[in-house]
């Protein structure tokens, strides 16, 4: 049992007893002869002494038994701070710890966040791993709104339904700034009444690939 729990194949032997409980007596009496006499059979037990009971047939069976065991490299995946409309990739390592091939299924939550944000390269539903091998899956996160992300991925071993693992994915999704302004403070120096101040420059930079229109408004002036 210890070898089976650790994914090692072990030989198992058993015997199957085959016993006749219902038959055509006419056919049996014509076809079966035991030591020159017709063979009869009583399902309730041995018959009279002159009757010969059909013996129980024993069928030996041998097989190799191995429990399929699956592991993942990490159960919690924290992406930290990520930004809207950017693609983030992480490696998901699935390891087969047994002597038999592993067939697994990856299931996402049924809410709209998982369906929209979490994707895999290739077939999302199923995967195959050779004995004592591993498989790397590219997990792609593509958020399009700002939120606190916490989703679960369930990885199920199809050859051992009790071997189901949960991967928790966390991230803080923010909306990246679209414009930058430098410097943040413009010092005009000393200005005489009725005169213009010295010229100062500030720079507005577009941080996206989208064309944007900028409006500069003069707010109320406060004298200190």
């Amino acid at each position: 049992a210890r070898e089976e729990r650790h994914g090692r194949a072990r030989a198992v032997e058993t015997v199957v007893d085959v016993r006749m409980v219902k038959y055509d007596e006419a056919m049996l009496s014509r076809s079966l002869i035991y030591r020159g006499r017709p063979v009869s059979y009583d399902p309730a037990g041995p018959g009279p002494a002159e009757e010969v009971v059909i013996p129980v047939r024993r069928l030996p069976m041998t097989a190799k038994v191995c429990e399929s065991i699956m592991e993942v490299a990490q159960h919690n995946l924290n992406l930290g701070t990520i930004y809207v409309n950017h693609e983030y990739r992480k490696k998901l390592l699935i390891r087969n710890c047994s002597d038999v091939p592993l067939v697994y299924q990856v299931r996402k939550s049924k809410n709209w966040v998982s369906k929209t944000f979490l994707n895999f390269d290739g077939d999302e539903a199923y995967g195959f791993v050779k004995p004592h091998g591993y498989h790397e899956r590219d997990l792609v996160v593509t958020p399009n709104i700002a939120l606190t992300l916490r989703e679960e991925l369930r990885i199920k071993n199809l050859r051992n339904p009790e071997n189901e693992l949960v991967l928790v994915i966390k991230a803080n999704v923010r909306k990246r700034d679209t414009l930058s302004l430098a410097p943040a403070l413009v010092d005009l120096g000393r200005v005489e009444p009725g005169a213009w101040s010295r010229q100062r420059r500030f720079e507005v930079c577009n941080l996206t690939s989208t064309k944007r229109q900028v409006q500069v408004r003069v707010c109320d002036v406060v004298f200190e």
Side-chain angles (χ1 to χ4, degrees):
R2 185 175 181 84
E3 291 180 353
E4 182 182 354
R5 287 168 57 87
H6 286 78
R8 295 295 182 182
R10 64 185 181 92
V12 176
E13 297 182 358
T14 186
V15 177
V16 177
D17 292 337
V18 181
R19 185 176 186 181
M20 185 182 299
V21 296
K22 188 176 181 180
Y23 60 94
D24 187 340
E25 295 183 6
M27 181 178 295
L28 183 64
S29 62
R30 291 195 305 267
S31 59
L32 295 181
I33 302 297
Y34 179 74
R35 294 184 178 179
R37 295 181 299 168
V39 176
S40 62
Y41 173 68
D42 181 7
E50 65 273 7
E51 294 183 355
V52 177
V53 179
I54 298 177
V56 175
R57 304 300 181 186
R58 312 203 75 181
L59 178 62
M61 299 184 66
T62 60
K64 283 191 175 182
V65 178
C66 179
E67 183 181 11
S68 180
I69 299 177
M70 170 187 65
E71 292 181 354
V72 294
Q74 56 188 124
H75 294 271
N76 293 279
L77 185 60
N78 194 341
L79 301 178
T81 300
I82 60 178
Y83 294 95
V84 173
N85 297 327
H86 284 70
E87 181 180 281
Y88 298 88
R89 292 177 175 266
K90 287 292 184 178
K91 294 290 186 180
L92 176 60
L93 183 64
I94 301 174
R95 183 179 293 108
N96 183 4
C97 303
S98 56
D99 291 342
V100 293
L102 167 68
V103 181
Y104 66 88
Q105 179 186 21
V106 180
R107 294 182 298 172
K108 300 187 292 186
S109 302
K110 295 183 179 180
N111 58 52
W112 66 272
V113 176
S114 289
K115 294 180 179 179
T116 306
F117 291 175
L118 305 180
N119 297 285
F120 291 95
D121 282 349
D123 184 12
E124 291 190 12
Y126 300 94
F128 174 86
V129 185
K130 65 182 181 180
H132 299 285
Y134 65 90
H135 188 194
E136 286 187 343
R137 301 292 298 265
D138 280 330
L139 173 63
V140 184
V141 182
T142 53
N144 52 23
I145 61 172
L147 80 168
T148 300
L149 178 67
R150 187 188 186 281
E151 291 299 318
E152 291 185 353
L153 286 180
R154 294 188 175 272
I155 308 171
K156 184 176 182 180
N157 185 346
L158 297 182
R159 291 190 167 180
N160 183 6
E162 295 182 355
N163 185 207
E164 182 175 273
L165 306 177
V166 178
L167 174 65
V168 180
I169 301 173
K170 299 178 182 180
N172 185 16
V173 185
R174 294 182 180 179
K175 187 175 181 181
R176 187 182 291 275
D177 294 336
T178 56
L179 297 175
S180 68
L181 177 65
L185 176 64
V186 177
D187 185 5
L188 298 178
R190 182 180 181 85
V191 181
E192 298 293 337
W196 291 97
S197 67
R198 289 177 294 178
Q199 182 179 354
R200 290 289 186 267
R201 291 179 177 273
F202 62 90
E203 183 181 79
V204 179
C205 181
N206 182 8
L207 302 178
T208 67
S209 58
T210 304
K211 183 178 180 181
R212 298 183 182 276
Q213 184 177 3
V214 179
Q215 182 183 25
V216 179
R217 293 183 300 176
V218 179
C219 301
D220 295 336
V221 178
V222 178
F223 295 97
E224 296 182 354

